Amino acid sequence: MAVAPAAFAADPTPSSSGSPSPSASASPSATPPATMSTVGGELLGKPGTQANLGSEAPVLPKDISARSWIVADAESGEVLAAHNAHWRLAPASTLKMLFADTLLPKFNKDEKHKVLSSDLAGVGSGSSMVGIKEDETYTVHDLWLGVFLRSGNDAVHVLSAMNGGVKQTVADMNAHAEELQALDTHAVSPDGYDAKGQVSSAYDLTLIARSGLQKKDFREYCSTVRAKFPGETKKGKNGKKTRSSFEIQNTNRLLTGDSGLDAYQGIAGVKNGNTTHAGATFTGVAERDGRVLLVTVMHPEKDEHNQVYKETASLFDWGFKAAGKATPVGELVPPKGADTDTSGDAESSAQPGATASASASGGAGGKAVAADAAEGSGGIGVALGITGGVLVLLAGGGYLVNRKWPGRKDRGASA
């Protein structure tokens, strides 16, 4: 998680893509703007809680203090309920989902890179780090483990350097956000470190997570509990060089559990964050009884330990009970260039370096908690059942993320 000492208002210049005006940006006030984007549906552009529960759906949890949140079906894209879904707020390290979704296809996971001092230039003071050392060599796989598990800003900056630098990477991220129709999002730093004008929304982070989960490696990394990471090369008395490794653990507490907080049954990622300006942010994906939900929570007002995870778990619980009973209030729109024709076989979406299947051991010493099921009709199967606290393959079940995006329903969506 990126940590920065200063807070500042987020007030980006609107793009020509139809992003909201600067008046819709985050500020020290906890009052949402009166007018927000209506991407995904008119109701999602209104401040306050949007839900259509009817007589059979359970009531929403009363202990939610977040400034913004959303509960959506990961497969159909239906938004079951939301609160200030398009409020543009500082995203913290949840922005790393956009970084990963943008850059993962660009590098083979076995590619090696020797770190230069310039690669680590510009890492913000107080940043979360995985422990990358100058003049050491790492694989791309190592670097992505550092990004996803330890939220390492040092790993982000090294991958950015491999992509032509921070400026180029941020430009790529913003272009990808526009392609995804994540129009509330404006990246300034690649790692989510607090920066003036850097914003996203619960709606956008959910869109980004849904896109990332189409990628096999993204699913593997975001669901890995712990892994071995290369340490520093040392020379012994005999002059022989040795390099040991150390264990890193995922900072997603719904995945690992924590004092006073159990791991959430069915959880399989995605990304957490916390900065001075953003507060705590989190996007999670979980499966129960064959249904997969995405939940994003931004900036709980309650200042309690693990509050963002507690509120996320409450919304997951509600969503699983309400699914099929609550009338959707909007939808997660597909990318601009998406093929929404669900007929026929889907083309492979594996990126360079993706393995044929996610290793149950996480590869390179990692312990993954999600395994790939057999590919279904037009989709990718990801099993999310729990046995002994570790997600394992479920025969006949799974999380189908369509490679060809589900057909878009007319809910009055506009930019």
Side-chain angles (χ1 to χ4, degrees):
M1 292 176 282
V3 178
F8 18 80
D11 191 13
T13 302
S15 72
S16 59
S17 61
S19 298
S21 65
S23 63
S25 62
S27 72
S29 168
T31 302
T35 303
M36 294 177 281
S37 167
T38 55
V39 170
E42 294 292 337
L43 288 176
L44 300 181
K46 295 182 178 182
T49 301
Q50 307 302 322
N52 191 348
L53 304 183
S55 58
E56 297 185 0
V59 297
L60 286 161
K62 301 183 185 300
D63 58 347
I64 306 301
S65 68
R67 293 184 180 183
S68 176
W69 55 261
I70 192 169
V71 181
D73 188 295
E75 295 181 77
S76 70
E78 292 178 335
V79 176
L80 304 184
H83 180 77
N84 301 325
H86 281 290
W87 191 0
R88 305 177 88 187
L89 298 165
S93 285
T94 48
L95 192 67
K96 288 184 173 77
M97 294 188 297
L98 177 61
F99 172 78
D101 195 37
T102 303
L103 262 64
L104 263 170
K106 296 191 175 190
F107 306 110
N108 188 297
K109 65 196 305 180
D110 296 323
E111 182 177 341
K112 295 181 179 180
H113 178 78
K114 186 174 181 179
V115 176
L116 306 175
S117 60
S118 57
D119 295 347
L120 299 172
V123 176
S125 174
S127 288
S128 52
M129 311 279 266
V130 68
I132 289 173
K133 302 297 183 181
E134 182 183 342
D135 294 327
E136 294 286 2
T137 298
Y138 302 86
T139 66
V140 166
H141 180 71
D142 294 331
L143 296 172
W144 282 120
L145 286 171
V147 171
F148 278 91
L149 273 67
R150 295 302 303 166
S151 203
N153 289 6
D154 47 356
V156 169
H157 277 254
V158 173
L159 285 163
S160 296
M162 294 174 66
N163 187 55
V166 167
K167 184 177 180 180
Q168 179 62 54
T169 298
V170 168
D172 290 346
M173 290 168 65
N174 285 323
H176 187 53
E178 186 167 339
E179 165 61 22
L180 295 178
Q181 300 199 66
L183 305 181
D184 299 323
T185 299
H186 180 73
V188 177
S189 68
D191 49 26
Y193 191 89
D194 280 344
K196 185 175 181 179
Q198 182 155 271
V199 288
S200 190
S201 66
Y203 182 88
D204 279 14
L205 291 173
T206 308
L207 272 188
I208 292 164
R210 192 182 187 215
S211 176
L213 290 165
Q214 310 292 317
K215 297 177 174 64
K216 189 183 298 288
D217 283 358
F218 188 104
R219 298 196 306 271
E220 176 189 344
Y221 292 130
C222 80
S223 64
T224 298
V225 174
R226 60 185 61 86
K228 293 294 184 180
F229 193 83
E232 191 172 4
T233 300
K234 295 183 179 179
K235 185 181 291 186
K237 293 181 180 179
N238 58 0
K240 185 178 180 180
K241 293 182 179 180
T242 60
R243 190 180 188 188
S244 59
S245 61
F246 57 93
E247 184 174 281
I248 56 174
Q249 180 171 295
N250 204 309
T251 55
N252 173 357
R253 298 310 179 201
L254 284 189
L255 196 62
T256 64
D258 196 16
S259 176
L261 181 74
D262 293 332
Y264 190 82
Q265 187 169 358
I267 194 73
V270 175
K271 190 70 188 75
N272 55 309
N274 198 328
T275 68
T276 301
H277 186 40
T281 60
F282 181 67
T283 296
V285 62
E287 181 269 350
R288 185 176 297 173
D289 298 328
R291 187 180 295 274
V292 185
L293 298 182
L294 283 161
V295 171
T296 295
V297 171
M298 300 186 76
H299 202 142
E301 298 288 1
K302 288 183 182 178
D303 187 19
E304 297 181 11
H305 185 55
N306 287 327
Q307 186 64 29
V308 73
Y309 301 113
K310 294 174 183 177
E311 296 192 11
T312 299
S314 292
L315 289 170
F316 268 130
D317 287 345
W318 174 84
F320 286 122
K321 293 175 183 176
K325 299 175 182 178
T327 301
V329 295
E331 66 168 349
L332 301 177
V333 297
K336 289 180 179 179
D339 180 358
T340 58
D341 179 8
T342 57
S343 63
D345 293 332
E347 296 178 0
S348 174
S349 62
Q351 64 276 18
T355 56
S357 62
S359 169
S361 65
K367 185 175 182 181
V369 297
D372 280 30
E375 294 184 5
S377 57
I380 304 169
V382 180
L384 304 179
I386 281 193
T387 298
V390 178
L391 295 170
V392 295
L393 185 66
L394 288 179
Y399 165 20
L400 297 181
V401 180
N402 289 326
R403 289 180 184 152
K404 291 191 176 182
W405 291 75
R408 180 173 176 174
K409 300 177 182 177
D410 183 11
R411 299 188 190 281
S414 67

